[in-house]
Amino acid sequence: RNINYTLFMQGRNKPLLFRYLNATISSVIKKKYSCLILGPRQVGKTTLVNECLKGTKNTVKYLLQDPSLRIELERSPSRLINQIRALKNNPCVFIDEAQKVPSLFDAVQVLIDNKDARFILTGSSARKLKRHGINLLPGRIKRCYLSPLLWGELGLVKECAIKELSIDNINHNIPYSFEDTLIYGALPGIVSLPQKDRPDFLRAYAEIYLEEEIRAEALSRKIGAFSRFLELAAVESGTNPNLCKLSNESGVSQPAIKEFYNILVDTLVVERVEPYLKNARKRILSSSRYYFFDLGVRNVLARFPLTPNLVNTQKGALFEHAVILEIIRRVKVLNKNYKICYWRTSAGAEVDCVIDLGSSVIPIEIKSASFVARAEIKGLRSFLNDYRKIAKHGYVITMGDKKEVLADNITALPWFYL
């Protein structure tokens, strides 16, 4: 694919990583459009935009991490309009961490509508924008999402056997293994660090997130409860959480637990995966599953020891988590309107991931073993039988090293063939 990917650099003498999203951002800048880039903290939004803006004339930056600038614009958002109109030739305006001053979106809308400027905005919390009635400028601005590094950005993909999820490797020879991603996750800053420093980086990330979100959500009186919830939710990541159990162990009500989960979703810390309920002949479980956006962050919040032995003790959970996250990230990178679901009947038949393409679905089972017996894929076979009109082929993602036909309509794929 003829795409000019961006350079992601973590300081001097660090690995140089290309990101998929550069093609989109570069195109937005070239065509003089506007965009909003959402993504969790520390996934590289600021670095990405700065790299894409290199060589672009007539740019102005508002970095809202600066307290004095933030206070100034909070007091008078209209100053943004006055300052931008003082410039000429339709400047490109970069507002970093835009959710810190949600009222700026009204000013941005005025400037875009009057063709006074084009904008690139970044944000790590849709919650703060929703709370202020911000509609994220639909129809005026392209919305993008930046996640932690995908397998192709780490050079880990061998071949894409599912064409609907096909991507290319865009980096090679990165000194970061698949096992590393299971333990430390895939935040860009992690890749460039020595292994001994990675736990400290992740602990600092968790502490800063906790402190800042508690302050932003006015949860100061619930800090102990939220901290306990966060640890328990990390342990339960990837399952259907037992709200009653979480309530008892964290010491807060079930409605509060639901609200805590909403905070995690809106601040992009967890991905919510809904059950697949279409045309169900059987009784289907209808509760959501939640996956923390990054395995390293999940592991440190759960207080798991960040050592190679973690892969042995948590192999199944980590592998399923990694595959689900990769599928979610690819759907976003490919800009597809696919919905990621899971399927589980009251009788216990289960499929870990159902990719709803609209007119058809792709069921995927995830097994951390290198060999999968036919008896282990009863749920997948049941799903393919129940939904035979729209589900033509199913897959089992494994930790093996060879593709294998398990049935006429089921193929086992090593993870690097996803």
Side-chain angles (χ1 to χ4, degrees):
R1 296 183 179 91
N2 296 319
I3 300 176
N4 178 28
Y5 296 106
T6 194
L7 194 62
F8 186 96
M9 184 183 300
Q10 290 288 323
R12 296 181 180 178
N13 302 318
K14 299 296 183 183
L16 305 180
L17 300 177
F18 296 97
R19 302 302 304 266
Y20 289 115
L21 195 57
N22 174 252
T24 300
I25 306 306
S26 296
S27 176
V28 165
I29 294 170
K30 184 177 181 180
K31 294 178 180 179
K32 298 188 176 182
Y33 295 157
S34 297
C35 72
L36 168 63
I37 306 170
L38 291 171
R41 301 169 187 269
Q42 296 294 319
V43 293
K45 300 184 295 295
T46 306
T47 303
L48 174 68
V49 174
N50 282 331
E51 287 293 333
C52 290
L53 284 175
K54 283 184 176 178
T56 301
K57 298 180 180 178
N58 198 22
T59 63
V60 58
K61 300 179 182 180
Y62 288 81
L63 308 182
L64 298 186
Q65 298 92 330
D66 180 346
S68 60
L69 175 62
R70 187 167 66 245
I71 291 169
E72 172 191 329
L73 293 174
E74 283 173 338
R75 286 174 176 168
S76 179
S78 62
R79 292 196 67 180
L80 179 70
I81 297 176
N82 298 335
Q83 291 172 5
I84 298 305
R85 284 180 172 168
L87 305 173
K88 297 181 179 179
N89 301 321
N90 193 246
C92 183
V93 183
F94 173 28
I95 301 180
D96 200 19
E97 293 294 334
Q99 85 282 345
K100 290 183 179 293
V101 188
S103 54
L104 281 183
F105 276 72
D106 291 334
V108 169
Q109 180 174 324
V110 169
L111 291 165
I112 291 176
D113 288 348
N114 290 334
K115 296 181 171 54
D116 293 314
R118 56 237 167 78
F119 287 82
I120 299 178
L121 305 104
T122 69
S124 58
S125 175
R127 184 178 184 83
K128 297 182 180 69
L129 304 177
K130 289 177 184 177
R131 192 168 56 215
H132 287 78
I134 303 300
N135 59 9
L136 302 184
L137 309 174
R140 296 177 174 85
I141 194 164
K142 183 177 180 66
R143 196 187 308 187
C144 305
Y145 183 90
L146 189 66
S147 70
L149 295 162
L150 284 80
W151 293 349
E153 292 171 331
L154 289 167
L156 297 174
V157 177
K158 184 173 182 179
E159 175 189 323
C160 291
I162 304 176
K163 68 180 189 306
E164 291 84 358
L165 297 175
S166 181
I167 60 170
D168 295 329
N169 280 331
I170 56 172
N171 294 296
H172 301 275
N173 302 318
I174 305 300
Y176 200 75
S177 69
F178 179 65
E179 288 70 23
D180 287 334
T181 70
L182 298 182
I183 302 167
Y184 306 110
L187 291 173
I190 281 286
V191 177
S192 62
L193 289 175
Q195 183 173 320
K196 63 181 178 62
D197 294 335
R198 291 169 185 166
D200 288 339
F201 176 98
L202 289 167
R203 280 191 286 268
Y205 181 101
E207 289 169 4
I208 291 171
Y209 161 76
L210 183 62
E211 191 272 334
E212 291 200 3
E213 292 309 324
I214 284 173
R215 186 176 64 220
E217 299 299 330
L219 292 172
S220 297
R221 287 180 295 178
K222 297 182 181 179
I223 184 168
F226 189 77
S227 298
R228 288 192 296 276
F229 160 77
L230 205 54
E231 179 179 342
L232 295 167
V235 173
E236 298 282 326
S237 184
T239 69
N240 299 85
N242 185 324
L243 299 183
C244 181
K245 175 185 172 184
L246 288 173
S247 174
N248 291 336
E249 295 187 8
S250 63
V252 296
S253 67
Q254 289 191 40
I257 293 292
K258 291 180 180 179
E259 180 61 15
F260 286 170
Y261 267 117
N262 288 335
I263 291 173
L264 296 183
V265 171
D266 287 343
T267 55
L268 312 177
V269 171
V270 302
E271 299 281 356
R272 180 187 280 126
V273 175
E274 304 288 358
Y276 185 76
L277 299 172
K278 290 185 180 178
N279 305 317
R281 296 180 182 178
K282 302 173 181 176
R283 187 182 173 198
I284 307 297
L285 296 189
S286 58
S287 59
S288 301
R289 289 182 176 176
Y290 299 90
Y291 290 84
F292 273 72
F293 83 101
D294 178 79
L295 270 171
V297 174
R298 176 258 183 179
N299 291 340
V300 77
L301 285 172
R303 300 187 184 276
F304 292 143
L306 302 185
T307 65
N309 190 52
L310 182 61
V311 177
N312 298 325
T313 59
Q314 285 266 315
K315 186 177 181 181
L318 292 174
F319 184 64
E320 178 186 330
H321 209 300
V323 173
I324 293 290
L325 286 180
E326 178 68 15
I327 292 171
I328 291 172
R329 292 167 184 174
R330 286 206 201 169
V331 168
K332 291 175 179 177
V333 159
L334 293 169
N335 196 28
K336 299 294 186 180
N337 193 30
Y338 304 157
K339 186 174 181 181
I340 308 304
C341 307
Y342 77 94
W343 182 77
R344 187 179 182 189
T345 70
S346 58
E350 182 174 356
V351 175
D352 295 319
C353 178
V354 177
I355 305 175
D356 185 352
L357 309 179
S359 59
S360 63
V361 297
I362 302 173
I364 296 175
E365 187 66 7
I366 303 166
K367 299 291 186 184
S368 60
S370 57
F371 171 78
V372 179
R374 186 175 176 84
E376 297 180 84
I377 54 172
K378 289 181 180 178
L380 187 56
R381 288 190 283 125
S382 177
F383 183 93
L384 287 166
N385 182 60
D386 286 0
Y387 297 91
R388 63 176 70 90
K389 291 184 178 180
I390 57 174
K392 302 302 182 184
H393 205 94
Y395 298 90
V396 184
I397 307 301
T398 75
M399 291 190 78
D401 57 5
K402 290 182 174 62
K403 292 186 283 187
E404 185 177 352
V405 174
L406 301 180
D408 289 343
N409 58 351
I410 300 176
T411 303
L413 299 173
W415 63 268
F416 46 80
Y417 279 102
L418 179 62

